Amino acid sequence: MAKAFTPAGVGLRPFSVGHVEQTWRRPRTPGDLTIRWTRRSRALAADSWGGLEVPLAEEVEAYEVEILDGTTVKRPLSATATSAVYMAAQQTADWGAPLGPGDTLDFRIFQLSVLVGRGAPKTVTLPF
């Protein structure tokens, strides 16, 4: 018996990012938070032990970062490199004050693909 099949392009979907960290070093404005990550790739050359950055397997480098309040997206951020800035003014608008010691921040990062859209998410909670 024949079965219908609709390919979803899962094999083309970008991997989730890795090695996520936050830094307050050299902020653009006091209180700005820079979120950094390492790109992962499906490209064949990405399986090297050479320690170099993996090749980009997409047409363009693009990411979406979702700042979360529980399961609710509080603020979306866009990035064209492996970092995004969550500005102090945005933090104040979202939480009433910039984030500081004792706070945590939940967020998701997606690498984007022109062919299949969002890749696998990386969900992170970072303490301050």
Side-chain angles (χ1 to χ4, degrees), residues 46-126:
D47 197 21
S48 168
W49 287 83
L52 301 174
E53 188 171 338
V54 298
L56 181 63
E58 303 299 325
E59 289 183 38
V60 296
E61 187 165 14
Y63 303 89
E64 287 182 358
V65 179
E66 294 179 335
I67 306 299
L68 302 173
D69 184 7
T71 59
T72 303
V73 176
K74 193 80 163 178
R75 176 174 301 274
L77 303 172
S78 296
T80 57
T82 55
S83 67
V85 177
Y86 187 27
M87 295 183 284
Q90 293 171 320
Q91 296 170 45
T92 300
D94 295 345
W95 310 106
L99 299 169
D103 292 328
T104 59
L105 180 64
D106 299 327
F107 56 93
R108 272 190 301 252
I109 304 170
F110 301 89
Q111 184 173 357
L112 304 179
S113 166
V114 173
L115 292 175
V116 295
R118 286 179 162 185
K122 175 70 170 189
T123 303
V124 177
T125 299
L126 291 177

Side-chain angles (χ1 to χ4, degrees), residues 6-76:
T6 303
V10 174
L12 300 173
R13 190 170 99 165
F15 289 137
S16 65
V17 301
H19 306 288
V20 179
E21 64 180 0
Q22 57 87 14
T23 179
W24 299 98
R25 292 180 296 228
R26 291 181 278 196
R28 297 176 183 179
T29 302
D32 283 1
L33 169 65
T34 301
I35 302 166
R36 300 182 191 283
W37 57 87
T38 301
R39 179 180 68 232
R40 294 175 61 215
S41 177
R42 288 187 177 274
L44 290 176
D47 197 21
S48 168
W49 287 83
L52 301 174
E53 188 171 338
V54 298
L56 181 63
E58 303 299 325
E59 289 183 38
V60 296
E61 187 165 14
Y63 303 89
E64 287 182 358
V65 179
E66 294 179 335
I67 306 299
L68 302 173
D69 184 7
T71 59
T72 303
V73 176
K74 193 80 163 178
R75 176 174 301 274

